[in-house]
Amino acid sequence: MIFKQVPVGSFQNFSYIIGDPKTHTATLVDPAWEVDKLLDLCTDAGLTVSHIINTHSHHDHVEGNDAVVKRTHAKVVAHQSSPVRKDIPVDDGDSIEVGSLRVRVLYTPGHCPDHICLLVDGKVLTGDTLFVGECGRTDLTGGDAGAMYDSLFNKLMSLNDSTEVYPGHDYGRKPSSTIREERSTNYTLKERTKEEFIKFMAQP
Ligand SMILES: [Fe+2]
């Protein structure tokens, strides 16, 4: 697998390129702010973009969709509840085939109602659900701390310890991590009941 984490824009966003070296196809995850840079990286790696996957519909993760579609005719994949213009609506447990690669969808609401995380080849792309050393905020429109608890503790923390974590923003001490590291060092993942977590998230 060809995998690139690409810093874009001025909000510390990460876009991702997931490429299949066998079929020379790629998916862009959360293309935004610097579409030329992303497409140039694909061209340099000999990859044609077949899909865009949005982890969620916030502007800083989707604002490059239209420009990419215009230039590549890629199909847009997003959660079925997402308001973005999409070709392939998905839900928990679905898989997206990118050439010979399989990207599995985990539905992880909490930061917003249409949030998904993506599992591929021992890596999880966590969007704005989990950052290195932090979790996503739940005080924006559609945010839900109870749903975030379930997404973090019942979905992400049930992944293998060795799974690599690739977040949607560069907010941590380093750009990526593992489930093992987050479980043991991320203060938002300390053992709490759901009620305690909801109170914790309501603190300033
Ligand atoms: Fe967001």
Side-chain angles (χ1 to χ4, degrees), residues 81-124:
S81 69
S82 169
V84 300
R85 193 204 63 73
K86 55 194 172 296
D87 302 293
I88 306 175
V90 292
D91 199 5
D92 193 54
D94 287 348
S95 289
I96 305 138
E97 279 171 23
V98 182
S100 63
L101 301 172
R102 192 171 279 252
V103 180
R104 199 154 68 83
V105 174
L106 296 175
Y107 178 47
T108 54
H111 173 67
C112 66
D114 59 32
H115 200 292
I116 57 175
C117 292
L118 304 168
L119 261 176
V120 61
D121 198 22
K123 297 174 170 38
V124 62

Side-chain angles (χ1 to χ4, degrees), residues 56 58 60-61 111 128:
H56 64 297
H58 285 163
D60 58 322
H61 296 259
H111 173 67
D128 286 5

